[in-house]
Amino acid sequence: MAKLKTEQAPITELTNPQPKKARRLKVLSTSKLSSNQQTIYNTNATTSPLLKLPPEIRNRIWGFLFGGKIVHIQYEYTRPGRRMVHFICQVPNDDEDAAEHITHHNELDGSPDRFEIYRSRHQQCSGSGTVKRTSLPMAALQTCRQVHEEAALLPFQRNEFSCALITLGPFLQSLFQSQARAIESVTLHCRHPYRTITLKKLVKAKLKALKALTYFVEMSSDVHTNPTLHPAWSECFAQTEAVAATSATIVPYVPGQGDAGFMAPSRTTMREWATSFSKTMVVAQD
Ligand SMILES: [Zn+2]
């Protein structure tokens, strides 16, 4: 694999926005290396058993280390404020399986096909009881300049990012441009038709490499969130219009596994609704 060019500062957290004045964009610029630094880099490159491996092998190692995960992004509330954190999903089957399962349920007309709703499935991932929360090994990127140059964007390119729709904007704003533009897969979950005046612009500007977009939409029997009655959903989804290069999937469901409930949308309604909006999110092919 070709060497990835990087221009962002080493990071210890995926989501650790610095104050605007302190943010540096080109820490890795090689134009001003001291002779001492150059000597260290040369020594590392020629003596480290890891760095002496062929680039293809190192890239595979970086892929195993930094990629292949679902990464949850969410706010953690602390006193006196809140901070954005990330942690690795610990659910054994992935969201793709869950999406297919719910989609299959929506295609049925008979008794409900049991499935677990998004927030229940991922409840354990944030760490509770004996389950320990785990993060991406971002500190490994700080061990050596060459490691950082080769792998700094892989955590963004090779993982699926999962967050509440309401968190997407702040998450994208917390990243350097090159980091956000490396992201290829995003899964969003929402229970209400959330929208802001800036999110669409932000998504267009930041998610330039997005291939796959998935929404898990928890429907309610409440008149205010029933898709057949509330046009705000179309405004909500318009924020991610034509952003996914390969696929977009909307997975609507009613908690409680069934179609019961006053004003809850039927499976037929949800199926048609999801199909029509999904199409609008994929980049048109010439
Ligand atoms: Zn999870």
Side-chain angles (χ1 to χ4, degrees):
M1 192 191 348
K3 216 176 184 181
L4 288 165
K5 279 192 175 177
T6 58
E7 51 182 40
Q8 69 278 4
I11 48 176
T12 54
E13 289 272 356
L14 272 179
T15 52
N16 185 21
Q18 301 169 33
K20 268 194 171 176
K21 284 183 181 172
R23 182 171 287 189
R24 295 179 295 180
L25 295 175
K26 294 190 175 180
V27 164
L28 280 183
S29 168
T30 53
S31 59
K32 291 181 182 174
L33 285 182
S34 69
S35 59
N36 192 32
Q37 284 175 316
Q38 192 62 59
T39 303
I40 293 171
Y41 302 149
N42 291 344
T43 304
N44 283 342
T46 53
T47 61
S48 160
L50 177 63
L51 298 181
K52 283 188 341 189
L53 288 171
E56 309 82 55
I57 304 292
R58 284 204 308 276
N59 281 331
R60 290 194 67 184
I61 293 172
W62 304 151
F64 287 126
L65 187 62
F66 296 113
K69 313 279 193 311
I70 294 174
V71 179
H72 292 291
I73 304 291
Q74 72 175 43
Y75 275 118
E76 190 169 71
Y77 290 87
T78 56
R79 288 180 183 172
R82 64 179 186 176
R83 67 186 183 120
M84 197 176 281
V85 295
H86 85 273
F87 44 88
I88 294 171
C89 180
Q90 302 195 36
V91 176
N93 58 329
D94 61 23
D95 282 343
E96 198 173 335
D97 287 341
E100 283 178 13
H101 199 158
I102 296 174
T103 301
H104 180 249
H105 161 80
N106 286 344
E107 287 167 353
L108 298 173
D109 292 322
S111 56
D113 191 15
R114 294 193 68 80
F115 60 85
E116 198 173 5
I117 66 174
Y118 186 90
R119 55 193 163 100
S120 300
R121 284 181 63 237
H122 292 283
Q123 199 168 21
Q124 61 174 305
C125 303
S126 59
S128 59
T130 55
V131 180
K132 204 174 172 207
R133 193 161 78 182
T134 57
S135 306
L136 288 172
M138 301 303 282
L141 293 171
Q142 292 182 297
T143 56
C144 163
R145 185 182 193 86
Q146 187 174 336
V147 173
H148 190 269
E149 284 192 342
E150 291 182 355
L153 292 183
L154 295 184
F156 302 91
Q157 184 187 37
R158 301 279 187 88
N159 291 304
E160 172 189 326
F161 288 90
S162 173
C163 66
L165 177 58
I166 197 170
T167 311
L168 179 63
F171 170 53
L172 294 178
Q173 285 176 315
S174 76
L175 302 177
F176 292 109
Q177 183 167 282
S178 53
Q179 293 171 332
R181 289 186 175 181
I183 292 175
E184 295 186 357
S185 180
V186 168
T187 294
L188 302 168
H189 54 98
C190 54
R191 300 167 70 184
H192 304 283
Y194 173 79
R195 63 231 188 264
T196 72
I197 55 170
T198 56
L199 186 57
K200 183 172 186 173
K201 198 174 170 186
L202 191 62
V203 165
K204 277 283 175 200
K206 298 272 189 173
L207 290 177
K208 294 276 190 187
L210 190 69
K211 291 180 179 173
L213 175 65
T214 304
Y215 274 90
F216 284 87
V217 183
E218 185 172 317
M219 292 291 165
S220 163
S221 58
D222 188 317
V223 65
H224 295 298
T225 53
N226 185 315
T228 59
L229 297 173
H230 204 298
W233 280 109
S234 61
E235 296 168 32
C236 171
F237 291 140
Q239 297 173 117
T240 49
E241 202 171 67
V243 72
T246 308
S247 69
T249 309
I250 298 177
V251 188
Y253 54 89
V254 178
Q257 322 291 340
D259 300 323
F262 180 67
M263 297 302 288
S266 70
R267 279 182 275 179
T268 303
T269 300
M270 289 194 290
R271 188 171 66 233
E272 292 170 354
W273 180 81
T275 302
S276 67
F277 279 117
S278 297
K279 286 178 185 167
T280 68
M281 296 181 194
V282 181
V283 178
Q285 303 292 324
D286 295 327

